[in-house]
Amino acid sequence: MNVTSWARDLWQRLTEPGQWSRRRLVGEGVLALALGLIAGRSELDFGWPWAIGAGLIVAALSLLRRTLPASVLIAAGAIGSLSESGGLFLLGVAAWSAGRRIPGVLQALVAFTVSFALFEAFALWKAPDQTVFVLVFGTALFLMFAVVPGLTNRYWTQRRTLLRTLRLRNVQLLREREMVASQARLRERQRIAQDMHDSLGHQLALIAVQTGALEVDRELTGRQREAVGVLREASVAAMQELREVVGILKDGTPEEEQPVSRVVAGIEELVEAAVAAGMRVGVERSGEIRPLAPAADHTGYRIVQEGLTNAAKHAPGAAIAVNLRYEPDSLLVEVANGPVPPGEARAAGQGEAVSGGQGLTGLRERARLVGGMVFTGPAEDGGFRLAGVLPYDSAEAGEARKTATFVDASDDFRQQMEEVAPGDGGPVIDRLDPREEFKDIMSTKKSNGCLVGAVVGLLILVVLAVAAVFGIGAIVDEADKVMIDPVVYESVKVGDPERQVREKLPEGKSFLTSDVEDKLPAEPAGMSCLSLLSTDTSRGLLTDTVYRFCFKDGKLSEKREFHVKS
């Protein structure tokens, strides 16, 4: 790849749509400006042109660190030792970004190693006579400004990736569990449908045949024949409803369209059948008639049917009022019966004995699924009232169906993953054992990279920690060679024998005093001098107190105290 194509590819990556949002543009600009100003301020001693150039280079590298993480990290390693404060801050930012964006563990290791080598090489080039000091403190600085931020961001990114993978697998588990439960429900519905068809269908067929034969019996009176006809029609209607329910149970499909006799428009026929059976029922309609969704239309019919059935069982002989009131936003269906006449109390008690208690529960569920509600309770006159509110708009029903799920609310983890929901489709895993699932997650290439990266990072930290411990020990040993207490300095007198004086003083040969000796006055002619550092830090950490002892003709000829700015 030549320079032109490389530059074109870099420009495309920098100007990629979505790469620079307004928030990121402001943040990156502020960060680049801050790093550039810090770098320029630290280089003012070399002149304004050098300071401006250093600031521009640091700012440019800061803007490029997302696109070229490895290259910027290597360049920051070189600048970090050349430019003191600005370069170190750039190194920290570049390492933080590189820890996340360099894909492979080996690539990241190579990039950090090259950056560290350049960091130490340029530091040694600046101070060639302080090798041990540069190696020890350079390693500590690189560990603090590069390795720790890089490993921290890499671990944080890998942890988020692993958590997202676990969440995706959790969603897949929920999706598969929903599919398994759906299949189980379908099989159970088919079994129930078969049982209903075999048992109830047979019994209803016998009732229809027997009542049909009884209806043509010549010995019956006209009123008896009319009652038998009502029973026959009821059994035929029950057979028809049973076939509809069995079909729904077998297919597992909702009731999209109902026969005309099973919707609100068929309530008139339902009431006529109840009146023919001897019940006192009246119907009242109010408001402008408006169409309902098919499911809501059928629910209104079921409310009236359940109300009439309950009144027949629990309040035989009582007056029943059916009220259909079309409100602006919903249909109000109400069935209210009066108190039970005294002579019918025994029949009402017998009706309660055969009540299953499931009709009202089913009605409430039907109403909820269409976005409505059902109310039950005693009426003001001592009777009973059943009312339902059914909205015209089916949007509420759609929302209600979305919330209807077989997963219990306390056990629903889909809230953890907004991006993917169980109903959105997607791959389905083929195992439910958590141990196998975890093994599958950890066997992926990305997860292996996470583990290898964590192990390599841990090894690097251990090696650097050991090197830092040995380095600190070496610094302490070097300090013992060149540092003395002010009391020792006062105890030595000019004219004392050189051998006696040197027995009280340390060796004095260390890299710690090489920089200080260059700032001292020239040694007196004909004398050999020994420069040592004082343990007294009362003048501050930026000022070194230096004791110089000069010998001539086997005696201490001069001792002086200097205060050198570091």
Side-chain angles (χ1 to χ4, degrees), residues 14-265:
L14 285 173
T15 59
E16 182 180 358
Q19 178 75 13
W20 298 95
S21 62
R22 182 177 302 177
R23 181 178 178 181
R24 174 173 291 181
L25 185 62
V26 173
E28 291 294 327
V30 171
L31 179 61
L33 179 62
L35 292 177
L37 291 176
I38 294 174
R41 175 65 180 83
S42 64
E43 301 298 323
L44 280 177
D45 295 339
F46 299 96
W48 279 101
W50 182 268
I52 294 175
L56 292 177
I57 292 174
V58 169
L61 290 176
S62 174
L63 294 174
L64 290 173
R65 77 182 194 282
R66 294 177 179 270
T67 306
L68 302 173
S71 302
V72 173
L73 175 64
I74 294 173
I79 296 176
S81 56
L82 293 175
S83 177
E84 297 177 357
S85 57
L88 288 177
F89 283 119
L90 174 65
L91 179 61
V93 174
W96 174 270
S97 182
R100 174 184 178 183
R101 288 178 171 80
I102 297 179
V105 177
L106 183 60
Q107 298 178 15
L109 182 60
V110 170
F112 276 86
T113 302
V114 174
S115 179
F116 174 69
L118 291 177
F119 184 84
E120 291 287 11
F122 281 98
L124 290 173
W125 176 71
K126 289 179 62 178
D129 54 346
Q130 302 181 23
T131 305
V132 178
F133 178 80
V134 168
L135 290 177
V136 173
F137 282 93
T139 301
L141 284 176
F142 193 83
L143 173 65
M144 180 174 61
F145 282 93
V147 176
V148 173
L151 288 179
T152 301
N153 196 16
R154 193 170 188 86
Y155 165 76
W156 183 42
T157 303
Q158 291 172 347
R159 180 178 179 274
R160 289 194 305 173
T161 302
L162 184 60
L163 286 177
R164 177 178 174 82
T165 303
L166 290 173
R167 288 174 180 173
L168 287 173
R169 295 306 177 103
N170 180 61
V171 171
Q172 291 173 346
L173 283 172
L174 288 173
R175 184 183 297 117
E176 182 174 274
R177 188 171 70 173
E178 186 173 349
M179 294 175 60
V180 171
S182 178
Q183 294 175 356
R185 288 198 305 270
L186 181 59
R187 288 195 297 267
E188 184 65 15
R189 281 200 298 261
Q190 292 175 346
R191 186 189 64 79
I192 294 173
Q194 188 65 38
D195 292 344
M196 291 176 62
H197 181 272
D198 294 342
S199 59
L200 294 180
H202 176 69
Q203 299 296 331
L204 289 174
L206 289 178
I207 293 174
V209 172
Q210 293 295 332
T211 53
L214 185 60
E215 187 178 8
V216 296
D217 192 346
R218 296 181 179 179
E219 297 182 0
L220 295 178
T221 63
R223 183 173 180 79
Q224 292 175 336
R225 185 174 289 106
E226 183 179 355
V228 171
V230 172
L231 291 176
R232 182 181 60 79
E233 292 178 358
S235 63
V236 172
M239 285 285 292
Q240 182 178 356
E241 291 189 11
L242 177 62
R243 283 193 292 269
E244 294 175 2
V245 172
V246 168
I248 293 172
L249 288 175
K250 285 185 176 180
D251 298 336
T253 56
E255 304 168 81
E256 294 296 336
E257 295 185 2
Q258 299 295 334
V260 177
S261 61
R262 301 292 182 267
V263 294
V264 173

Side-chain angles (χ1 to χ4, degrees), residues 7 185 215 301 347 382 424 470 480 500 517 546:
R185 288 198 305 270
E215 187 178 8
Y301 177 87
D424 294 340
F470 281 101
D480 291 338
Q500 181 181 350
E517 290 177 351
V546 183

